[in-house]
Amino acid sequence: MTESLENLREKIASLEKELQQEKERNDSFKKREKIAEMSSEVVDSNPYSRLMALKRMGIVENYEKIRDYTVAVVGVGGVGSVTAEMLTRCGIGKLLLFDYDKVELANMNRLFFQPHQAGQSKVEAAAGTLLAINPDVQFEVHNYNITTVDNFDHFMNRISKGSLTEGPVDIVLSCVDNYEARMAVNRACNELNQTWFESGVSENAVSGHIQFLVPGETACFDCAPPLVVASQIDERTLKKDGVCAASLPTTMGIVAGLLVQNVLKYLLKFGVVSSYLGYNALLDYFPSMVVRPNPTCEDNWCRRRQQEYAAAEAVRATQAATAAPQPQQQEEAVTHEDNSWGICLVDETPTEPRTDPAGGTSPVTPPGAVVGGLAPGIRVAYDRPAADGAEDDSDNRGAVGSSAPPAPDVTLEELMATMKSL
Ligand SMILES: [Zn+2]
């Protein structure tokens, strides 16, 4: 009897200790209060002092403007979750998160999610973590697949009305892992005239890319065979067969970093925003290029945006009343020799500068550019049937075809600066 009383006392003491530890742990999770205004004050308690220092360093003119912006992240997996975390830590105004997956233990080789979140929806789990990191950010989460008809309509609605001022979001980031979802984002953004970024990581985990898409001005995802690491293999099928894509937290973290870096440059207007930036992990090589739109793109919203862009450019050109007329250029169908999926490693040896279809040497062709004006190390994902007239006109920089829109506002200096950084 005495012994069992002693046991009970011990048990109570141990439980009390456990309770105390749990209380302390909870206290450490206490969320900070919202901060009304971003301050540059250099004190340990200011979560924005290091970011606001970008102003003092002369990099960003008005960092606090980041609070006015809304970013939609489609796909909250290996790249999207890290992207959302970076934007949250940077103090973005609002984040819209779209995903229909659940957190799985099989995701733990990547950053962001934790084992105790297994089974939760990715968007709910992400919003919980992110809100604790920065309560100043507004979150709107949608746990659905954007490719179904009803969800697509709702997705369009949120992209066009989901900002802090109930207008269009400032940028859409595609961080999805399949072709259908990329096409859905492309379709929505063309119709809504919405600027977006595409991103991807290869299934062998050692390459990735980001691509900046401005409807009418740059190639859309449907304009040319995608220069992406897209797979038409259904992931569920892969899982069924006991096979799955490889992934590394390193490659995904790097691609997310490149993506958010360019989003910050775009939103806060500093530096040069990359048009297409690839990453080859085996060589630590970063090919970069500009991809122009295809006048015969199958997406009619894309063609309409191209016409609008061409018209606006014509007006700008007239206003600027610049001198020398640009030479006309024959359109040339490009045959892609390679038909496999994914961005693969190709010959890295620099070759002679490419001669452009107009006969001259393109002044903006990067050294070592290969077939069809693709930067070395980049391949198209697949061939288009010749009948649809699709072509990769990434080599049309600086030239105007009969029906092609004028060259984009990318200066030679900007391109050279981008290339220099390779
Ligand atoms: Zn297009």
Side-chain angles (χ1 to χ4, degrees):
M1 189 71 185
T2 334
E3 211 174 301
S4 61
L5 256 179
E6 194 53 39
N7 280 348
L8 277 173
R9 278 199 192 98
E10 271 176 30
K11 182 121 193 178
I12 288 168
S14 139
L15 283 171
E16 277 176 344
K17 195 177 168 195
E18 216 173 292
L19 187 67
Q20 186 57 32
Q21 283 171 345
E22 198 58 32
K23 272 184 181 165
E24 281 167 13
R25 208 168 71 90
N26 279 345
D27 283 349
S28 71
F29 278 132
K30 216 181 265 172
K31 286 171 186 165
R32 72 158 166 84
E33 295 298 311
K34 284 192 181 197
I35 293 171
E37 254 179 53
M38 274 192 180
S39 143
S40 300
E41 196 187 358
V42 184
V43 286
D44 291 346
S45 58
N46 178 5
Y48 299 116
S49 58
R50 267 72 171 179
L51 294 164
M52 292 291 274
L54 287 164
K55 288 166 60 168
R56 212 172 37 250
M57 301 293 169
I59 302 296
V60 179
E61 220 167 272
N62 194 0
Y63 188 85
E64 55 269 42
K65 206 159 172 5
I66 197 163
R67 285 196 151 185
D68 299 341
Y69 295 121
T70 301
V71 177
V73 179
V74 187
V76 190
V79 174
S81 61
V82 178
T83 293
E85 178 173 347
M86 287 179 177
L87 288 167
T88 298
R89 290 185 186 273
C90 285
I92 195 80
K94 183 177 174 185
L95 277 182
L96 274 70
L97 305 178
F98 297 86
D99 203 308
Y100 65 101
D101 254 355
K102 282 188 161 57
V103 180
E104 292 169 9
L105 288 176
N107 302 143
M108 294 307 137
N109 68 318
R110 305 166 184 182
L111 303 177
F112 192 74
F113 289 115
Q114 296 181 44
H116 69 85
Q117 293 170 317
Q120 291 181 41
S121 84
K122 284 185 176 171
V123 289
E124 293 290 352
T129 304
L130 298 174
L131 193 62
I133 291 172
N134 190 343
D136 298 329
V137 181
Q138 277 193 32
F139 295 94
E140 178 181 317
V141 300
H142 299 288
N143 185 22
Y144 59 57
N145 178 353
I146 63 159
T147 64
T148 68
V149 178
D150 288 351
N151 293 340
F152 183 75
D153 287 344
H154 191 264
F155 173 66
M156 290 266 289
N157 175 284
R158 296 324 297 147
I159 296 303
S160 55
K161 297 192 178 80
S163 82
L164 287 167
T165 53
E166 296 180 1
V169 301
D170 294 286
I171 195 144
V172 173
L173 308 181
S174 167
C175 303
V176 298
D177 61 1
N178 64 85
Y179 181 79
E180 284 72 25
R182 286 187 173 95
M183 286 296 275
V185 174
N186 186 62
R187 204 160 60 241
C189 290
N190 276 339
E191 183 168 341
L192 298 170
N193 207 4
Q194 171 68 55
T195 299
W196 63 291
F197 268 101
E198 144 64 8
S199 69
V201 173
S202 66
E203 293 201 339
N204 63 8
V206 287
S207 69
H209 72 279
I210 61 164
Q211 185 174 356
F212 184 52
L213 297 101
V214 185
E217 186 179 338
T218 69
C220 84
F221 190 71
D222 205 12
C223 268
L227 307 164
V228 296
V229 193
S231 168
Q232 283 178 317
I233 304 165
D234 187 327
E235 263 210 347
R236 282 162 295 185
T237 318
L238 281 173
K239 277 177 191 167
K240 226 179 272 173
D241 295 344
V243 183
C244 67
S247 69
L248 280 168
T250 46
T251 309
M252 289 183 155
I254 287 165
V255 170
L258 293 174
L259 179 63
V260 178
Q261 196 80 289
N262 279 276
V263 169
L264 292 175
K265 288 193 285 183
Y266 172 72
L267 294 177
L268 298 174
K269 299 176 177 62
F270 65 99
V272 176
V273 177
S274 280
S275 176
Y276 183 99
L277 182 60
Y279 169 51
N280 175 333
L282 298 180
L283 294 172
D284 278 342
Y285 175 64
F286 295 83
S288 162
M289 58 192 286
V290 176
V291 195
R292 296 283 309 282
N294 173 8
T296 60
C297 178
E298 284 179 16
D299 185 308
N300 50 14
W301 278 106
C302 172
R303 295 197 307 273
R304 187 192 285 198
R305 298 302 173 210
Q306 290 183 47
Q307 285 163 7
E308 288 167 2
Y309 178 74
E313 277 296 283
V315 171
R316 271 195 287 273
T318 313
Q319 284 169 346
T322 41
Q326 297 187 47
Q328 290 292 305
Q329 178 190 308
Q330 294 288 315
E331 280 185 37
E332 185 185 274
V334 176
T335 310
H336 300 292
E337 286 170 16
D338 208 290
N339 204 19
S340 66
W341 285 91
I343 292 172
C344 300
L345 172 62
V346 296
D347 183 17
E348 300 290 343
T349 319
T351 57
E352 287 300 300
R354 188 177 46 84
T355 301
D356 73 22
T361 301
S362 171
V364 289
T365 303
V370 291
V371 187
L374 298 179
I378 295 179
R379 292 205 307 207
V380 294
Y382 60 80
D383 278 346
R384 268 283 174 72
D388 69 6
E391 64 172 65
D392 172 64
D393 49 0
S394 56
D395 55 341
N396 283 351
R397 283 166 251 150
V400 183
S402 51
S403 55
D409 292 325
V410 179
T411 66
L412 182 56
E413 284 74 20
E414 283 169 335
L415 273 170
M416 292 312 286
T418 313
M419 266 159 237
K420 227 176 166 180
S421 68
L422 290 180

